[in-house]
Amino acid sequence: MPTRTPAVQATALTKIYGTGDARVIALDGVTVDFHRGQFTAIMGPSGSGKSTLMHCVAGLDRPDLGAIRIGDAELGELSDDQLTALRRDRVGFIFQAFNLLPTLTALENITLPFDLAGRPPDQTAVDRVVDVVRLRDRLGHRPSQLSGGQQQRVAVARALVTNPEVVFADEPTGSLDSAASTELLGFLRRCVDEFEQTVVMVTHEPSAAAFADRVLFLTDGRLVDELTAPTADRVLDLMKSLEKVTS
Ligand SMILES: Nc1ncnc2c1ncn2[C@@H]1O[C@H](COP(=O)(O)OP(=O)(O)OP(=O)(O)O)[C@@H](O)[C@H]1O
């Protein structure tokens, strides 16, 4: 069983965009822990603050109030350069648009985090992720020579190869068909189950959220509900009831 130590702790996060009539409270005092070896999905209506929460917790954006801790690092105490190094070395990212470098091969894209850190690739880690995402016979291909599902598998391998403390995935299946989505979510699930990876994923799809251990629901910048051991049907029911409350 995974331990229940938080890999990431966010406390009382508030993020406000704009001023006057254009003022939007995107996050309104969100406190949440993401535990080591746990797969968490974040859901909620459009504009509820999912991306803002993920960007703040991942150190891509800074909250106006509140604190974020990744492992032993308090993000608010880091300079921009230290934050960049932390994101590079200790956090993995998977985006909807695969964000691969088109001139590099699949293997070069996967080992990019090592190049950026000025370190030689950890061959054992590279072999492990290449096998997890089943890309061994495509390593010499460039992104344009790969299917969408294969490109996202490269992005997943790149996110996992440094054995990061947490992987953040923002709508990772948004550009994939249903077979490729299921496969991708299966890879993420395996990494959680077999390697105690911590995964936090924003999604709109109940069937994707059902792969997680728990689902958090945001409405108007607040955490309003949570499901553990979710099924797609239970996620859908809860989303419908939240929409009724907020409409
Ligand atoms: N850079 C910005 N400037 C002004 N307002 C912003 C900015 N980014 C987000 N917002 C506003 O903050 C709120 C939360 O946005 P956010 O993108 O976090 O929502 P979301 O739940 O991820 O939405 P979606 O599901 O549509 O991607 C929205 O009202 C949005 O319009």
Side-chain angles (χ1 to χ4, degrees), residues 15-18 22 24-27 43-54 61 170-171 202 204 218 221:
K15 178 80 182 175
I16 297 172
Y17 292 110
V24 175
I25 304 177
L27 293 179
M43 302 196 80
S46 180
S48 58
K50 303 182 293 296
S51 297
T52 305
L53 175 61
M54 174 168 285
D61 200 354
D170 198 353
E171 295 274 354
V202 167
H204 281 109
L218 270 179

Side-chain angles (χ1 to χ4, degrees), residues 5-139:
T5 325
V8 181
Q9 285 179 291
T11 312
L13 297 187
T14 295
K15 178 80 182 175
I16 297 172
Y17 292 110
T19 53
D21 286 352
R23 190 168 182 268
V24 175
I25 304 177
L27 293 179
D28 191 1
V30 173
T31 294
V32 63
D33 288 351
F34 298 110
H35 294 280
R36 214 171 289 287
Q38 192 175 52
F39 188 170
T40 305
I42 301 174
M43 302 196 80
S46 180
S48 58
K50 303 182 293 296
S51 297
T52 305
L53 175 61
M54 174 168 285
H55 288 175
C56 287
V57 173
L60 290 165
D61 200 354
R62 291 192 189 262
D64 294 305
L65 291 172
I68 298 143
R69 178 176 276 274
I70 295 184
D72 58 3
E74 193 74 54
L75 301 198
E77 292 170 2
L78 303 182
S79 66
D80 286 347
D81 284 352
Q82 288 172 320
L83 203 53
T84 302
L86 177 131
R87 285 196 308 261
R88 184 189 67 209
D89 298 336
R90 295 168 63 179
V91 179
F93 292 97
I94 305 165
F95 297 100
Q96 177 172 351
F98 320 126
N99 288 13
L100 302 178
L101 292 187
T103 56
L104 301 185
T105 64
L107 181 61
E108 289 164 345
N109 268 288
I110 292 170
T111 56
L112 190 63
F114 294 104
D115 297 338
L116 293 175
R119 291 187 272 141
D122 173 343
Q123 199 52 51
T124 311
V126 173
D127 281 338
R128 178 173 67 95
V129 293
V130 164
D131 287 336
V132 169
V133 300
R134 295 208 302 272
L135 275 171
R136 192 154 296 283
D137 58 346
R138 292 286 187 282
L139 292 178

